[in-house]
Amino acid sequence: MDARNLTFLFYGFLAAWLIVLLYVLSLARRNARLKKELENVKNLVAQSESAPRLEDRVR
Amino acid sequence: MREKIAGGLIIAAALLLSYNFYHIFKVLPDDALQGPIYRILFIHVPAAITGMIGYFVALGLSISYLMTRNFRYDSLAASVVEVSVIFSLVNIVTGSIWARVIWGIWWTWDARLTSALVCVLIFAAYVMMRRAIDEPTQRARLSAALCIFGCVDVVIVWKSIDWFRTQHPSPVLSIRTGGGHMDPAMEHMFYWMLLAILMIASALVLIRTRQETMAREIDSLRRFANAAA
């Protein structure tokens, strides 16, 4: 009983920390993606600000 | 600043967990009836309480959003719910493993377990729904409504062991029973574990909230770029 008991205790703690760890990894991945996306959008805004507007080009 | 607070919380939680694990595995004796498996309580119950606290915090934030239409409350509520779902999942998985040893079954459809599962499903739907809606105002309003609805189930989860006869044990903490159901040394350690898990959850919420702020920034910059083009 006790050996099986200890095995399941190990599984319980392992599962709990594994779920938290997987979530932390997903947060880290999402963070990297958001930083990259923010950089891209900032570049896009800078480009659109420096480029002449469509109305100006027509004129 | 937010990252520094999150880092500090994680370091403090790691130190506290080392102290807690030493006491849980080396100092505390085995339970007379359950043997060593009872130690799963130190992660199963704090995870459940952390999840429930999170849902009630999200309820307050959702109501605040509906009253003020301030998107900061919506971002915070979304972060808190996501982290709470993770801890509720930890609660269900560890509970199932504990049940396998003590009851001989992985799962039973009693009021506590069923309402806890429904709670995870409702708030998982909340997280998925947010990803499916692009329009920020509609997303925030529907999320707040779903959060309020979900919190009704959180109350059912909390009170189910008082209202119904369940396979799940009745409350054991002295805060709910007035004492006599749990050894004071074990209960003392339980509160330290709860504190450590609450610290981890708070750090995760801070990190997640930063991401929500970044996503809002990206969204507004994109709208600005589209308008300027």
Side-chain angles (χ1 to χ4, degrees):
Chain A
M1 170 70 180
D2 263 9
R4 198 171 133 259
N5 213 319
L6 278 172
T7 311
F8 276 90
L9 178 65
F10 171 75
Y11 289 155
F13 273 81
L14 180 73
W17 293 113
L18 203 63
I19 290 169
V20 176
L21 182 72
L22 286 175
Y23 180 61
V24 170
L25 289 177
S26 86
L27 278 184
R29 235 179 57 185
R30 201 182 306 174
N31 217 40
R33 185 177 54 79
L34 281 170
K35 273 185 181 165
K36 204 171 140 187
E37 210 173 320
L38 186 63
E39 209 52 49
N40 287 344
V41 179
K42 276 182 180 169
N43 288 339
L44 199 71
V45 170
Q47 275 173 18
S48 66
E49 277 181 337
S50 61
R53 283 171 166 263
L54 185 61
E55 308 88 84
D56 299 337
R57 273 181 275 169
V58 171
R59 234 177 268 151
Chain B
M1 184 63 185
R2 210 176 279 172
E3 281 86 358
K4 278 184 185 168
I5 297 173
L9 278 170
I10 287 172
I11 292 168
L15 291 173
L16 187 55
L17 279 175
S18 325
Y19 166 83
N20 290 351
F21 282 152
Y22 173 76
H23 276 260
I24 289 168
F25 292 106
K26 284 280 179 189
V27 177
L28 289 179
D30 288 351
D31 184 80
L33 294 172
Q34 298 191 24
I37 192 71
Y38 89 95
R39 287 180 175 85
I40 219 163
L41 168 141
F42 294 110
I43 199 133
H44 172 72
V45 186
I49 294 176
T50 303
M52 283 187 188
I53 290 174
Y55 296 134
F56 284 122
V57 170
L59 171 70
L61 291 163
S62 299
I63 293 171
S64 301
Y65 168 75
L66 290 176
M67 287 167 72
T68 62
R69 305 284 160 175
N70 184 338
F71 280 102
R72 272 193 184 171
Y73 292 124
D74 172 60
S75 300
L76 256 172
S79 311
V80 172
V81 165
E82 197 177 289
V83 172
S84 299
V85 167
I86 296 300
F87 283 98
S88 294
L89 200 62
V90 167
N91 166 253
I92 285 187
V93 171
T94 52
S96 181
I97 292 170
W98 195 0
R100 181 68 188 82
V101 177
I102 298 303
W103 303 337
I105 45 171
W106 292 101
W107 186 262
T108 180
W109 294 102
D110 83 347
R112 169 51 83 85
L113 276 70
T114 308
S115 56
L117 180 66
V118 169
C119 181
V120 171
L121 293 176
I122 289 173
F123 286 101
Y126 172 104
V127 174
M128 286 191 278
M129 186 191 73
R130 288 186 67 86
R131 289 184 192 173
I133 304 174
D134 283 332
E135 211 286 301
T137 313
Q138 192 186 20
R139 180 176 57 211
R141 206 177 51 236
L142 285 175
S143 302
L146 185 56
C147 183
I148 294 167
F149 171 72
C151 279
V152 175
D153 186 59
V154 179
V155 176
I156 296 172
V157 176
W158 176 34
K159 296 299 285 178
S160 57
I161 46 177
D162 299 321
W163 292 341
F164 307 102
R165 283 186 61 168
T166 55
Q167 174 109 16
H168 189 283
S170 300
V172 290
L173 295 174
S174 58
I175 200 168
R176 288 187 73 183
T177 61
H181 287 74
M182 193 177 183
D183 186 275
M186 291 175 181
E187 190 164 350
H188 179 77
M189 193 40 60
F190 164 82
Y191 288 117
W192 282 118
M193 243 349 241
L194 176 62
L195 179 65
I197 290 182
L198 279 173
M199 283 159 89
I200 294 172
S202 307
L204 292 175
V205 167
L206 284 173
I207 295 167
R208 187 67 190 84
T209 311
R210 171 85 189 103
Q211 293 183 348
E212 281 286 324
T213 312
M214 272 164 78
R216 268 213 327 266
E217 199 178 340
I218 291 169
D219 196 42
S220 56
L221 279 172
R222 200 168 272 152
R223 280 164 202 264
F224 177 77
N226 286 342

